[in-house]
Amino acid sequence: SELKVTGVDFLKSQNTRLHHTDAYNIKNLVVRRGQAFQIQLSFSRELKASDKLALHFGIGEKPMKPRGTLMSLNPRREPDLSGWQISIVKNSGKECLLSVTSSPSASVGIYNLNVKTGTNIYKPENGDVYLLFNPWCEDDVVFLDNEAQRKEYVLNDTGYIYVGSAYSIYGRPWNFGQFEEFVLDACMYLLDKSSLRLNSRRDPVLVSRAMSALVNANDDSGVLLGNWSGNYDKGTSPLDWIGSVSILQQYYKTKKPVSYGQCWVFAGVLTTVMRCLGIPSRCVSNFNSAHDTDENLRVDIYLNEFGEKLNRMSLDSIWNFHVWNDVWMKRTDLPSGFDGWQAIDSTPQEQSQGAFQCGPCPLKAVRDGDVYLPYDSKFVYAEVNADKVYWVIKKVHGKDKYIKISTETRGVGVNISTKAVGEDKREDITAQYKFPEGSEEERKAMQKASSFIRPSGMGIRARFASTVSVDDMDSKPEVLHETVSKTGLQLEINNTDALYPGDPLELAITVKTSVPGNWTINLAGSCQLQSYTGKIEASLGYIKETINLEGKSETKVPLKIAADSYMKTLALVEDEVLIHITAIAEVQETNDKLTKETSMRFEYPPITVQMPEMAKLNEEFACAFIFKNKLNVPLDNCKLLVEGLGIFKMATFDQGDVKPGRIIKSEVICTPTRVGEKKIVAKLTSAQVKAISVEKAITIT
């Protein structure tokens, strides 16, 4: 009698455990390439030596052998040329256990399996097998030889994205959620939507580049619509997301771009997509990030005579922070030495080869100044290395006169940050992007880079004295003091009190000299509110004073801003704003000029989370979120957003207006569906305060 297949068991629980894919919330088998998985076949009778048996794995609309999109695997014949392997592990009675190993360079995607015996073809139920990149396989180009890093960069579904300003950095909790329902299908849909040929899907260079284009909606109706206008009525404010899951689920359901994203949202979603497909990935925050539109490695900043920054002048900009991604892979397309972390960026800034995409660009190329390499290495190099040139515009005889005050060569690309491996801490990775400022290697890299970039009068960086104070105990970001030689003039800006919304802003500018002599110093200082992209939202006040200093001395000039001068702006702007202070000092005797600017963030009362430290699978527990408004102002239109992956779906509580001193409490009843350490994230937004967030861990047994 003819041999017929009566059933196929994909042995899902044992295969997914070995392939680190057991967390995916999907019926189908998910495996990684280049690694064996087992399939159990049941037959109508015992399998004999003379029987014909072949497994067909096909990918795409019309799988074909010559195109390499159809693998026909026969356990008794010579190995398939495709690099896939099959063997019989055990044949007993009417059952046969097979081991299948895909090629470590197979295309990533959904393969459909059918089993051929003689003239019969059996199509199993849920016969689609999802094949992913494999950082655990030495022959895969995304191989990462470190278990702790694989856990962090591939399997961790929560994390932090670092935001704020260069010397006031904080972590925003983010749920990547790469294992949640429909997220893997959304990623497969993006692969289909990309212009990649099936054969190109084996290459993480091309896949990560295509995904950097598809996570923004600019040319291809991809996942997220960017919006920096401050008006988010027609969608969700970028600050209201606490993770990628609801974004990717909504996109997969509607196939229409989701509104709205800004850089950290794009980076969060791209991390989810990369980790979901099996490419190690991390979110990278660059502080004082240059957006250099004309590739001359120079960003011009224009101030009026009060030290207020002018929006209208410059196309280039310095963002307080910008978030992109690093992905890990070998670069077989480049000369040797450029393997490892590669920068990719899905925030639509500049077009690359006709589309809003960026990378993958080797970190080593950025560090060494090899900016002739693909892709977009000049742009990434400028983001972390551009010089800031300050100009003051003064009216002379009714005409604008531009006076160049100073060039700052160390202010851009500082404290580059990502979440540490296995810890909820910030790791500084600046050294992976650039050599220490002022070092021999750094100047060599700068010279090399300048030879490939059209410099508009860009001089090689001058050596100048600088003292760097590092307080390692607190892992505080480094603060730089630039010194002007003739007088030893220095400027420092700090706040004398905590900056709570609703309180006056108590700021001070310290002016120091360290060289003998009598010095007359004209000081201008201004305070403005600015969004993280450097756009000025409001000017709050300024000081103009003339100071006399002698020899080695210093003086503190207070700059105080009343609460009513900024609270209205806080309620009108839908973005989180920073307090931006700029100071200009000019020494009359020597004509020395110095500028200093800094951004600070407001401080907020915390949210507290009450819940047990442990809970059991499928057993209910309560989780309460408590917030007390300790500010001197009411918070209008408060919303609390909460999410716990594998515990409960995202929920929103409208709390209305919360007066000073009032306490609000919201409760969620949770039923955990997965074991392990899980994190619950909560975020509070209101008209005045945009994003207070907290996260808490719970262990599910």
Side-chain angles (χ1 to χ4, degrees):
S1 64
E2 256 192 316
L3 179 73
K4 285 187 179 162
V5 178
T6 55
V8 171
D9 184 349
F10 286 101
L11 305 173
K12 193 177 159 202
S13 67
Q14 78 172 48
N15 283 326
T16 56
R17 206 172 53 248
L18 293 167
H19 283 250
H20 307 92
T21 55
D22 44 341
Y24 286 96
N25 184 356
I26 194 167
K27 283 203 202 65
N28 302 65
L29 177 63
V30 182
V31 289
R32 299 187 188 275
R33 63 187 193 175
Q35 185 176 338
F37 60 95
Q38 296 190 337
I39 296 179
Q40 174 112 3
L41 303 182
S42 309
F43 296 115
S44 54
R45 59 166 173 77
E46 198 174 340
L47 176 69
K48 298 191 194 121
S50 56
D51 286 321
K52 286 196 168 117
L53 169 67
L55 270 61
H56 288 184
F57 286 94
I59 185 172
E61 300 270 305
K62 293 194 179 120
M64 289 155 86
K65 276 189 201 168
R67 287 198 180 152
T69 54
L70 179 65
M71 276 33 84
S72 173
L73 307 179
N74 182 332
R76 300 204 170 123
R77 249 208 340 257
E78 289 302 299
D80 192 84
L81 293 172
S82 63
W84 290 54
Q85 293 164 348
I86 187 168
S87 60
I88 296 176
V89 179
K90 194 167 152 207
N91 184 18
S92 63
K94 293 180 178 178
E95 294 196 327
C96 178
L97 183 63
L98 295 170
S99 169
V100 178
T101 309
S102 62
S103 157
S105 60
S107 294
V108 163
I110 301 173
Y111 286 79
N112 190 278
L113 169 69
N114 39 60
V115 185
K116 201 170 175 204
T117 52
T119 54
N120 296 305
I121 290 179
Y122 180 83
K123 291 184 161 48
E125 200 188 347
N126 291 332
D128 283 345
V129 176
Y130 289 65
L131 187 68
L132 308 180
F133 290 100
N134 193 353
W136 283 264
C137 167
E138 286 189 36
D139 297 324
D140 193 319
V141 282
V142 301
F143 175 62
L144 180 56
D145 193 11
N146 179 314
E147 183 56 25
Q149 289 182 359
R150 292 188 292 239
K151 259 195 177 124
E152 183 67 57
Y153 299 134
V154 185
L155 300 180
N156 196 352
D157 57 358
T158 63
Y160 289 96
I161 298 176
Y162 290 93
V163 296
S165 65
Y167 304 112
S168 168
I169 297 173
Y170 68 105
R172 214 173 252 165
W174 192 265
N175 285 335
F176 298 114
Q178 64 268 38
F179 304 116
E180 300 304 302
E181 199 179 14
F182 303 124
V183 170
L184 180 57
D185 281 317
C187 295
M188 292 299 167
Y189 170 73
L190 287 172
L191 278 176
D192 286 342
K193 200 173 155 48
S194 76
S195 49
L196 292 176
R197 297 203 309 273
L198 285 167
N199 229 356
S200 302
R201 290 198 200 175
R202 61 182 67 219
D203 184 355
V205 173
L206 300 174
V207 169
S208 59
R209 183 161 177 79
M211 294 301 115
S212 82
L214 273 163
V215 165
N216 68 66
N218 283 45
D219 349 70
D220 42 28
S221 63
V223 179
L224 265 171
L225 208 57
N227 182 344
W228 285 264
S229 71
N231 176 2
Y232 311 115
D233 295 348
K234 295 191 170 65
T236 301
S237 157
L239 280 159
D240 286 1
W241 302 112
I242 45 183
S244 314
V245 180
S246 44
I247 296 170
L248 284 163
Q249 286 174 341
Q250 182 185 326
Y251 178 71
Y252 183 62
K253 194 171 142 192
T254 63
K255 310 289 193 282
K256 288 191 176 74
V258 176
S259 307
Y260 292 106
Q262 287 179 4
C263 70
W264 69 91
V265 190
F266 287 110
V269 172
L270 189 53
T271 298
T272 302
V273 171
M274 292 289 109
R275 288 184 185 178
C276 187
L277 293 173
I279 298 176
S281 175
R282 62 188 185 186
C283 284
V284 173
S285 302
N286 178 38
F287 290 90
N288 296 349
S289 188
H291 180 175
D292 177 21
T293 49
D294 46 9
E295 278 190 0
N296 63 359
L297 276 194
R298 200 178 91 178
V299 175
D300 294 308
I301 294 165
Y302 299 95
L303 309 169
N304 65 14
E305 47 196 302
F306 306 120
E308 292 175 336
K309 225 174 174 173
L310 304 169
N311 269 345
R312 61 191 162 84
M313 298 296 306
S314 184
L315 284 173
D316 290 352
S317 53
I318 303 259
W319 292 21
N320 283 92
F321 64 88
H322 177 44
V323 193
W324 61 73
N325 300 83
D326 285 345
V327 282
W328 179 270
M329 61 190 67
K330 285 197 180 74
R331 287 301 294 268
T332 52
D333 56 324
L334 298 181
S336 70
F338 294 103
D339 298 343
W341 288 115
Q342 318 283 324
I344 58 174
D345 191 346
S346 54
T347 299
Q349 295 189 91
E350 296 288 315
Q351 285 195 332
S352 165
Q353 296 178 321
F356 282 98
Q357 55 189 354
C358 180
C361 159
L363 267 55
K364 192 172 179 307
V366 175
R367 202 175 70 159
D368 294 349
D370 290 312
V371 295
Y372 58 90
L373 287 171
Y375 295 91
D376 310 302
S377 53
K378 289 187 179 117
F379 187 76
V380 180
Y381 185 85
E383 285 182 304
V384 298
N385 280 308
D387 289 346
K388 288 201 270 191
V389 182
Y390 291 97
W391 302 82
V392 165
I393 302 175
K394 288 188 173 168
K395 280 261 188 276
V396 179
H397 307 309
K399 283 202 178 120
D400 283 350
K401 188 178 176 203
Y402 294 76
I403 300 156
K404 184 171 167 181
I405 336 177
S406 62
T407 302
E408 191 185 309
T409 58
R410 304 184 167 206
V412 166
V414 297
N415 304 327
I416 304 174
S417 303
T418 191
K419 179 188 169 303
V421 173
E423 293 182 284
D424 291 339
K425 285 211 317 238
R426 183 178 77 85
E427 182 189 351
D428 192 300
I429 54 167
T430 312
Q432 296 178 32
Y433 272 90
K434 52 209 283 198
F435 288 110
E437 293 282 359
S439 66
E440 191 78 12
E441 300 99 336
E442 186 247 0
R443 237 178 333 279
K444 277 199 183 118
M446 192 77 193
Q447 261 159 331
K448 192 196 279 186
S450 308
S451 69
F452 298 110
I453 293 177
R454 306 187 297 277
S456 67
M458 186 194 87
I460 294 302
R461 302 177 170 207
R463 282 178 187 262
F464 47 63
S466 79
T467 53
V468 178
S469 68
V470 188
D471 182 358
D472 268 339
M473 299 303 293
D474 222 10
S475 80
K476 273 210 186 88
E478 296 185 1
V479 180
L480 242 88
H481 305 298
E482 302 212 349
T483 317
V484 172
S485 51
K486 294 172 199 159
T487 48
L489 180 64
Q490 276 191 3
L491 291 173
E492 275 173 31
I493 303 168
N494 37 38
N495 48 319
T496 47
D497 265 339
L499 304 167
Y500 285 112
D503 290 359
L505 307 179
E506 306 268 2
L507 307 161
I509 299 168
T510 308
V511 186
K512 297 181 179 180
T513 51
S514 60
V515 173
N518 284 325
W519 309 114
T520 317
I521 297 153
N522 298 339
L523 177 73
S526 75
C527 181
Q528 295 173 299
L529 288 182
Q530 93 179 78
S531 68
Y532 87 98
T533 59
K535 182 176 155 229
I536 299 300
E537 302 291 353
S539 286
L540 305 182
Y542 62 86
I543 45 160
K544 264 193 116 165
E545 283 192 25
T546 301
I547 300 155
N548 292 300
L549 286 177
E550 200 176 319
K552 188 176 176 174
S553 57
E554 61 176 75
T555 183
K556 216 177 213 156
V557 182
L559 173 58
K560 187 173 174 174
I561 307 291
D564 7 328
S565 65
Y566 70 84
M567 283 310 292
K568 208 179 246 131
T569 308
L570 279 193
L572 286 175
V573 180
E574 287 195 46
D575 295 306
E576 187 174 26
V577 288
L578 294 145
I579 302 154
H580 187 80
I581 305 106
T582 311
I584 309 177
E586 296 184 54
V587 183
Q588 289 182 13
E589 290 80 4
T590 62
N591 207 15
D592 276 349
K593 299 180 182 69
L594 184 63
T595 46
K596 174 96 186 172
E597 57 175 343
T598 192
S599 297
M600 301 172 179
R601 49 182 283 259
F602 284 105
E603 293 179 43
Y604 308 116
I607 303 170
T608 46
V609 184
Q610 288 180 345
M611 64 176 186
E613 282 178 18
M614 315 268 292
K616 283 204 167 77
L617 190 67
N618 300 324
E619 282 185 21
E620 283 189 357
F621 68 91
C623 179
F625 303 92
I626 299 152
F627 174 78
K628 180 179 183 180
N629 182 6
K630 295 178 179 166
L631 303 173
N632 288 325
V633 284
L635 299 178
D636 304 330
N637 188 15
C638 281
K639 271 196 316 220
L640 184 74
L641 312 153
V642 294
E643 182 178 51
L645 301 181
I647 300 176
F648 59 87
K649 291 221 169 18
M650 182 148 160
T652 307
F653 299 93
D654 283 314
Q655 300 285 4
D657 300 347
V658 179
K659 300 217 162 17
R662 193 180 140 211
I663 295 173
I664 52 174
K665 184 173 177 180
S666 309
E667 198 170 78
V668 186
I669 301 297
C670 316
T671 312
T673 56
R674 295 208 292 267
V675 294
E677 191 188 73
K678 300 288 160 210
K679 292 205 170 104
I680 287 177
V681 174
K683 179 178 258 187
L684 183 89
T685 67
S686 72
Q688 290 79 4
V689 169
K690 298 306 182 281
I692 301 175
S693 42
V694 66
E695 68 156 28
K696 200 159 175 165
I698 181 167
T699 306
I700 311 298
T701 54

